[in-house]
Amino acid sequence: MPSLRCLHTPGTGTLTAFQCSVPRSLWLSCSSLADSMPSLRCLHTPGTGTLTAFQSSDEREDCHNEEPPRKIIPEKNVYRQTKLANGTSSMIVPKQRKLSANYEKEKELCVKYFDQWSESDQVEFVEQLISRMCHYQHGHINSYLKPMLQRDFITALPARGLDHIAENILSYLDAQSLCAAELVCKEWYRVTSDGMLWKKLIERMVRTDSLWRGLAERRGWGQYLFKKKPQDGKTPPNSFYRALYPKIIQDIETIESNWRCGKHSLQRIHCRSETSKGVYCLQYDDQKIVSGLRDNTIKIWDKNTLECKQVLTGHTGSVLCLQYDERVIVTGSSDSTVRVWNVNTGEMLNTLIHHCEAVLHLRFSNGMMVTCSKDRSIAVWDMASPSDITLRRVLVGHRAAVNVVDFDDKYIVSASGDRTIKVWNSGTCEFVRTLNGHKRGIACLQYRDRLVVSGSSDNTIRRINKIFPWENERVALLASFGSSMLYGYNLAVVNSPAEHIKEFYNRTWLSRNHTGLSKETLTLLYSFTVSVFAIGGLLGSLLVGMLVTKFGRKGTLVYCTVLVFIAGALMGFSRICHSPEMVIIGRFVTGIHSGICLSVVPMYLGEIAPKNLRGFLTLVPSIFICLGVFLAQVLGLEELLGKETYWPLFLSLVVVPTFIQLMLLPWFPESPRYLLIEKRNIHATITALKWYRSKCNIQAEIEEMQEEQRSLSTVETVSVWGLMMDKSVRWQFISVIVINMGMQLSGIDAIWFYTNAIFANAGIPKPQIQYTTVGTGAIEVISGLIGCFTIEKLGRRPLMIGGFGVMGIGCAGITLSLVLQTHIAFMRYISIACVVAIIAGFCIGPAGVPFLMTAELFKQSHRPAAYTVGGALNWMSNFTVGFVFPFLQMSAGSFCYLVFCGVCVLVAVYVHFVIPETKNKTFVEICQMFATKEPILSKSPPGNPNELRLKKFNGYGMMENSSVELDSSRSYP
């Protein structure tokens, strides 16, 4: 976390400069306050994320007696002096300038007119004036205005009863800067002292650093932390924590020095007795060591003298595990009992008999104890007192001995010889999930701060940092279930009832006009019913940019549900109303909904997901698309909804998942990136991130978003035309075109359309083809799951290149099999294998990764336009393939699939050479990788060899680490 820095002049009692670079969330939280208080309008410099304050300590006490800014009166070429809003004098020493005679003559007249205008007119005039100046003139004006915009807001805030804001700002200081801040003036010292900022600094370190946490427990000063200030004043003052901080630092340096230099002394405690053959467990503190031995005893040793102080006897088996605190020692033994002892007297207080085999491990904390046993069970106990311990619940699920348990206030984690780790809810004791990974039994485990580290006899240590279903995954499942699944469902829902829909059209036409439709007209009308879905999708994709900017990502998904209810009502009541037009309009409306959601869902999930899960979550919609196709194929069977009576219900079932989504999705937060970067609502952003990340540290992610926000501070949301004209994102734009068009031009739609014909040619009986088609739907779902669960391990590029490569080989194989199947009988089975390969290859990568890449290749300002372009091209390519393929097949015959083969190969080659791997990269890092393809500085024309001109860096008008110097005597347009 960037720290605040104070530049203090020792011995003067004045603050020469105070500049800070804290998270932009703090500035945004102060901005609304500053705007409502005229005296605080210059809290920060817009767009820079910095605060600056110059203030004389002599005048700081009277800062609340503010005067309006005085006009700057130039004196005789010596200096200019102004009285700032806070009463501070500012000296500006300009360069000697030679003024023209016209200026001296006309200046007073201009000033006279200027004074007569209103404030808004004056601001407008100055803006126009500045816009006509050149770059170096802007620099002079900036240096002139800078002192006028500076103020000591830390002193001004408490004067208005806003001490908590001043304390919050200074709480971001590190120790060195906090020391300097105390020396600025009495008011700064008072804010630091009253706010207990040294205490807060130590508490922040204890929360984030395990070494500090351990020292707090061991040294005992942790008892003074994380407690509210009592009214009786017994809490140590701020000076106590200020003196404590250097002592902690000294302890840490001593510990680190000892570990680095290897300074240690080896001392031995001889535990051997006639029956003792080993020590199974131990725990120690600064005074004692408690050990559990194989001779059935617990021995307590003095840590300093290494003498045995007490021997606790009572177990009839080896003591395998123990834990103690300041009151009791709890032990578990191979005699299957758990015993509780007084830590001071050694008296046995309680014996717990429940397990039927050896107790292998135990843990207790905050009135709760968990024990595990060789009998494969876990016992959860309530500890009201050492003598009042009751069994709450027995957890059963492991298939071998449970070797170790650990828990906190939310989860119980257990590891077993059955190679699994199981997670249980601490409050309800309900099972949560199973974690797999080890190949042999797990012998040890530790769980802390939602992190599990386990060791196994398979010679591996595994680190698991996600032990429970994240809120991100709930949103992914819900958004995909109510939106993406409908796209796949609507793609396949009209295939099974095709004959019933045609019959309905013909019967309705006959009742209206007393004549039936010709076969060609009926086919045309049905084809239009099918293809109007793609037309609606194209229209919906063009609306994406406008909708997500106005309503947000989640808001767009919620509001779009009304389209599904309208479409469901139209299609569901079409037969009752005898209106084929209602079916066609319903298909068109569902197409609009799918066109919107097909882009918005990946955008939403890509923005809420942490970078290490972004690929996984963004591919969840592709799984639900496949699941929607599969569901339509299953429900379309004759045994279910494939009969003539049910086809209106079959078409209108889309309202069910949409209704579930509408009931639940509004309770989930909006995209944090949208809230911060576009809405600039820092409080809502922090709330949303805390919800999505549970108890994880969100500071680094907020700073990454603020970095992107700063780079976009002068950039509005880009339109589609602006995206096309922006040369700095040219490669990203081309990549979106290639992968989105390639996804549809790969021939997957043609394969789906002619699957039944290929299966019929392979000799599959016609009644059985519908079941074979359902089998291909299952393959789609399985392939989508494979892609989803491997993308974070393999990356985006391998799935894209491999997927398109497999599809290219499959298309070539279909061509070969269709040419040779009349001569070689088994080639018809090769064609089936190629169909399966094409479908599997498509669902593993090309089905979902293009939507993910569209989100990853652009920053927030360009992303809506990119999704609009990608979605429109996707639907246009879909419509093109459906319209052109029949003519292509008639002209090229069996060789028509070679066209798709060529497209797949070209897209795979493009991805290999152009698109970088984006796995575990932030959006800013991805844009910087593409920026290396464009030179940042380009040379000037030959006539001006010494000039350099600045190009746009990464599309956002910035260049980092620049050392280019410009001649101030030359004007640069």
Side-chain angles (χ1 to χ4, degrees):
M1 176 173 61
S3 60
L4 299 167
R5 294 293 179 186
C6 300
L7 304 178
H8 176 255
T9 306
T12 64
T14 63
L15 174 66
T16 304
F18 176 78
Q19 186 167 11
C20 55
S21 178
V22 301
R24 189 170 178 83
S25 58
L26 206 49
W27 308 151
L28 294 177
S29 64
C30 291
S31 295
S32 59
L33 172 68
D35 293 340
S36 64
M37 301 171 58
S39 60
L40 298 178
R41 283 178 181 165
C42 302
L43 277 173
H44 68 92
T45 304
T48 65
T50 63
L51 286 91
T52 313
F54 281 70
Q55 178 70 32
S56 169
S57 63
D58 298 330
E59 299 168 348
R60 188 170 286 114
E61 302 298 334
D62 300 324
C63 66
H64 56 280
N65 299 323
E66 297 184 348
E67 302 175 12
R70 298 179 183 177
K71 293 184 179 179
I72 300 170
I73 305 174
E75 300 186 7
K76 297 181 181 180
N77 294 328
V78 180
Y79 60 84
R80 298 179 184 178
Q81 182 175 9
T82 183
K83 196 76 169 178
L84 300 183
N86 58 11
T88 305
S89 297
S90 175
M91 301 298 184
I92 303 174
V93 183
K95 295 182 179 179
Q96 296 290 339
R97 300 191 185 95
K98 184 178 180 181
L99 305 177
S100 65
N102 288 337
Y103 168 76
E104 295 289 353
K105 185 185 302 182
E106 299 171 358
K107 178 184 67 174
E108 294 299 332
L109 182 61
C110 293
V111 172
K112 180 181 178 182
Y113 284 130
F114 185 82
D115 290 338
Q116 295 174 356
W117 297 337
S118 65
E119 288 188 3
S120 59
D121 294 337
Q122 290 174 347
V123 172
E124 174 67 21
F125 175 75
V126 173
E127 289 178 353
Q128 294 293 331
L129 198 62
I130 292 175
S131 66
R132 294 172 179 271
M133 295 181 179
C134 56
H135 180 71
Y136 80 94
Q137 291 174 318
H138 292 159
H140 286 298
I141 293 176
N142 181 62
S143 62
Y144 181 79
L145 290 176
K146 194 172 183 179
M148 301 177 67
L149 300 176
Q150 295 160 349
R151 95 172 268 102
D152 178 13
F153 55 90
I154 297 298
T155 301
L157 287 169
R160 289 161 178 79
L162 301 173
D163 303 63
H164 62 285
I165 295 181
E167 293 171 5
N168 192 23
I169 293 172
L170 292 183
S171 67
Y172 284 91
L173 291 168
D174 57 15
Q176 181 181 357
S177 298
L178 196 56
C179 288
E182 289 180 323
L183 301 176
V184 171
C185 67
K186 292 181 180 179
E187 186 62 24
W188 283 51
Y189 181 83
R190 187 195 65 78
V191 171
T192 304
S193 179
D194 291 352
M196 303 292 286
L197 297 188
W198 284 103
K199 177 174 178 283
K200 292 179 180 178
L201 175 61
I202 296 174
E203 289 174 343
R204 187 170 73 235
M205 298 303 296
V206 170
R207 277 194 301 264
T208 58
D209 193 315
S210 58
L211 181 56
W212 283 70
R213 192 182 306 118
L215 281 174
E217 296 173 356
R218 185 170 181 180
R219 299 299 189 197
W221 46 264
Q223 62 181 314
Y224 303 112
L225 304 178
F226 305 107
K227 295 180 179 179
K228 293 184 178 180
K229 189 175 181 180
Q231 300 298 326
D232 56 10
K234 293 183 179 180
T235 299
N238 187 62
S239 57
F240 168 80
Y241 299 98
R242 193 185 192 284
L244 176 63
Y245 189 91
K247 295 178 182 179
I248 299 173
I249 297 298
Q250 185 177 2
D251 278 349
I252 292 174
E253 291 175 350
T254 301
I255 292 171
E256 292 179 347
S257 176
N258 287 341
W259 279 105
R260 285 194 303 267
C261 301
K263 297 179 181 179
H264 64 278
S265 60
L266 177 62
Q267 297 175 299
R268 295 183 179 179
I269 299 176
H270 294 283
C271 304
R272 188 181 301 277
S273 64
E274 293 181 0
T275 58
S276 176
K277 295 182 181 179
V279 179
Y280 280 159
C281 54
L282 62 83
Q283 184 181 341
Y284 73 94
D285 57 28
D286 289 341
Q287 289 79 36
K288 60 184 175 296
I289 303 172
V290 181
S291 60
L293 283 75
R294 191 176 180 182
D295 63 1
N296 310 341
T297 64
I298 301 102
K299 293 185 178 181
I300 303 176
W301 313 81
D302 185 281
K303 183 183 175 186
N304 298 317
T305 64
L306 304 184
E307 294 180 355
C308 182
K309 297 167 55 178
Q310 276 184 312
V311 179
L312 310 182
T313 59
H315 281 295
T316 58
S318 302
V319 181
L320 303 178
C321 54
L322 67 83
Q323 183 185 350
Y324 71 85
D325 60 11
E326 65 276 3
R327 296 187 305 160
V328 296
I329 303 173
V330 182
T331 58
S333 168
S334 60
D335 62 7
S336 74
T337 66
V338 177
R339 299 178 187 257
V340 184
W341 318 76
N342 187 297
V343 72
N344 297 314
T345 64
E347 177 188 0
M348 186 189 302
L349 303 176
N350 205 339
T351 300
L352 307 177
I353 301 175
H354 163 72
H355 293 289
C356 56
E357 292 192 58
V359 179
L360 301 179
H361 199 256
L362 62 85
R363 278 287 178 265
F364 71 88
S365 176
N366 298 325
M368 173 179 170
M369 179 170 66
V370 181
T371 61
C372 62
S373 169
K374 194 175 180 181
D375 63 8
R376 308 179 184 181
S377 70
I378 303 164
V380 183
W381 310 78
D382 289 319
M383 301 179 65
S385 67
S387 58
D388 183 11
I389 302 176
T390 57
L391 180 65
R392 182 201 303 178
R393 186 85 174 262
V394 178
L395 310 180
V396 179
H398 284 290
R399 296 169 301 176
V402 184
N403 297 323
V404 59
V405 292
D406 206 346
F407 72 94
D408 63 7
D409 59 340
K410 194 168 185 179
Y411 294 104
I412 300 170
V413 183
S414 59
S416 168
D418 63 5
R419 302 175 291 180
T420 66
I421 298 171
K422 292 188 181 293
V423 184
W424 321 76
N425 187 289
S426 296
T428 64
C429 296
E430 298 295 331
F431 174 73
V432 176
R433 70 180 301 179
T434 298
L435 304 174
N436 297 296
H438 285 292
K439 297 179 179 178
R440 300 186 68 181
I442 302 170
C444 53
L445 172 146
Q446 186 170 1
Y447 165 53
R448 180 179 295 176
D449 297 332
R450 304 296 186 267
L451 174 67
V452 175
V453 180
S454 58
S456 167
S457 54
D458 62 5
N459 300 323
T460 65
I461 297 174
R462 306 234 173 203
R463 178 178 181 270
I464 306 171
N465 61 1
K466 187 184 70 168
I467 66 166
F468 57 94
W470 280 19
E471 284 74 5
N472 301 284
E473 292 161 340
R474 302 181 201 172
V475 177
L477 294 174
L478 182 59
S480 302
F481 175 73
S483 298
S484 301
M485 189 174 73
L486 303 189
Y487 168 70
Y489 185 85
N490 286 308
L491 280 178
V493 72
V494 292
N495 293 338
S496 174
E499 296 302 323
H500 305 316
I501 294 175
K502 290 179 182 179
E503 183 181 351
F504 167 67
Y505 285 176
N506 190 43
R507 188 170 60 249
T508 304
W509 188 270
L510 180 62
S511 64
R512 290 179 180 179
N513 303 295
H514 305 289
T515 181
L517 291 170
S518 64
K519 184 177 180 180
E520 293 77 10
T521 306
L522 190 60
T523 302
L524 178 62
L525 190 59
Y526 173 76
S527 299
F528 182 71
T529 303
V530 175
S531 59
V532 76
F533 177 73
I535 299 174
L538 176 60
L539 177 60
S541 66
L542 295 176
L543 300 175
V544 167
M546 178 189 68
L547 293 175
V548 297
T549 302
K550 184 175 182 179
F551 301 113
R553 282 60 169 154
K554 185 200 75 173
T556 300
L557 293 178
V558 172
Y559 291 137
C560 284
T561 55
V562 68
L563 297 174
V564 180
F565 291 116
I566 293 173
L570 288 171
M571 294 185 292
F573 293 103
S574 59
R575 187 170 62 180
I576 297 176
C577 298
H578 304 287
S579 176
E581 296 83 1
M582 293 176 66
V583 179
I584 296 173
I585 296 173
R587 289 280 295 172
F588 177 74
V589 175
T590 56
I592 296 176
H593 176 267
S594 295
I596 295 171
C597 295
L598 202 61
S599 296
V600 177
V601 172
M603 185 190 307
Y604 181 36
L605 299 182
E607 291 182 2
I608 68 172
K611 63 182 181 180
N612 62 315
L613 289 177
R614 192 166 59 232
F616 170 78
L617 291 181
T618 313
L619 282 193
V620 170
S622 66
I623 296 177
F624 275 85
I625 292 174
C626 300
L627 191 61
V629 173
F630 178 68
L631 183 63
Q633 291 170 344
V634 172
L635 294 178
L637 295 174
E638 288 291 334
E639 293 82 353
L640 298 175
L641 298 180
K643 297 178 181 180
E644 193 275 336
T645 309
Y646 300 127
W647 68 263
L649 174 63
F650 189 25
L651 295 182
S652 60
L653 273 181
V654 290
V655 300
V656 175
T658 304
F659 178 77
I660 296 174
Q661 183 190 69
L662 181 60
M663 291 295 101
L664 299 179
L665 189 59
W667 299 99
F668 291 81
E670 180 57 85
S671 162
R673 288 184 174 272
Y674 170 78
L675 293 172
L676 178 63
I677 299 177
E678 297 191 28
K679 289 300 183 181
R680 302 183 183 275
N681 189 337
I682 184 61
H683 301 293
T685 301
I686 294 174
T687 302
L689 266 182
K690 285 182 177 178
W691 194 92
Y692 284 122
R693 303 293 182 265
S694 188
K695 293 188 177 181
C696 299
N697 185 12
I698 63 173
Q699 185 60 41
E701 193 163 356
I702 289 179
E703 291 176 358
E704 184 266 322
M705 286 192 290
Q706 289 168 340
E707 178 186 355
E708 182 177 350
Q709 183 189 28
R710 286 191 291 271
S711 69
L712 299 175
S713 58
T714 59
V715 179
E716 298 293 335
T717 301
V718 177
S719 64
V720 173
W721 179 254
L723 179 67
M724 295 171 62
M725 294 295 102
D726 193 346
K727 294 183 179 180
S728 61
V729 291
R730 176 177 54 190
W731 282 108
Q732 292 99 309
F733 181 68
I734 295 174
S735 299
V736 167
I737 293 175
V738 171
I739 60 179
N740 280 279
M741 292 187 67
M743 179 172 63
Q744 295 296 339
L745 298 180
S746 61
I748 187 64
D749 294 317
I751 293 297
W752 277 332
F753 187 77
Y754 283 94
T755 297
N756 289 353
I758 293 174
F759 289 160
N761 291 334
I764 298 176
K766 187 174 181 179
Q768 303 300 321
I769 289 180
Q770 59 175 342
Y771 303 105
T772 309
T773 305
V774 171
T776 62
I779 293 173
E780 294 175 28
V781 176
I782 295 172
S783 302
L785 288 171
I786 292 174
C788 187
F789 286 99
T790 58
I791 188 169
E792 293 301 346
K793 293 183 179 180
L794 301 179
R796 285 68 163 151
R797 281 163 45 88
L799 293 185
M800 286 288 285
I801 296 171
F804 277 112
V806 170
M807 292 181 72
I809 296 173
C811 289
I814 285 182
T815 301
L816 184 64
S817 63
L818 291 177
V819 171
L820 299 179
Q821 68 180 2
T822 56
H823 306 288
I824 306 175
F826 73 86
M827 293 303 292
R828 62 185 62 184
Y829 303 107
I830 298 295
S831 64
I832 295 178
C834 291
V835 168
V836 173
I838 291 173
I839 293 175
F842 177 78
C843 294
I844 285 176
V849 178
F851 297 107
L852 168 62
M853 285 189 167
T854 304
E856 290 184 328
L857 299 187
F858 294 92
K859 285 190 179 179
Q860 194 80 9
S861 60
H862 290 61
R863 195 171 295 128
Y867 266 106
T868 300
V869 172
L873 291 174
N874 197 308
W875 287 99
M876 290 173 62
S877 302
N878 187 326
F879 183 80
T880 301
V881 170
F883 183 78
V884 172
F885 182 73
F887 302 99
L888 180 64
Q889 190 183 39
M890 286 189 295
S891 59
S894 302
F895 296 96
C896 63
Y897 292 98
L898 291 180
V899 176
F900 302 130
C901 175
V903 171
C904 294
V905 172
L906 289 176
V907 174
V909 171
Y910 179 88
V911 172
H912 176 74
F913 287 104
V914 176
I915 300 180
E917 180 55 66
T918 58
K919 181 180 70 172
N920 288 335
K921 298 289 192 303
T922 65
F923 293 118
V924 175
E925 292 171 343
I926 294 169
C927 288
Q928 289 173 350
M929 288 191 295
F930 272 97
T932 59
K933 297 179 180 294
E934 293 288 338
I936 297 176
L937 289 174
S938 60
K939 292 185 178 181
S940 299
N944 300 304
N946 296 324
E947 288 187 6
L948 292 174
R949 55 189 177 90
L950 187 66
K951 290 187 67 176
K952 279 199 296 185
F953 177 75
N954 205 26
Y956 307 103
M958 60 179 289
M959 183 177 70
E960 297 178 352
N961 301 325
S962 174
S963 59
V964 179
E965 298 181 359
L966 299 178
D967 185 0
S968 61
S969 64
R970 187 184 299 273
S971 174
Y972 293 88

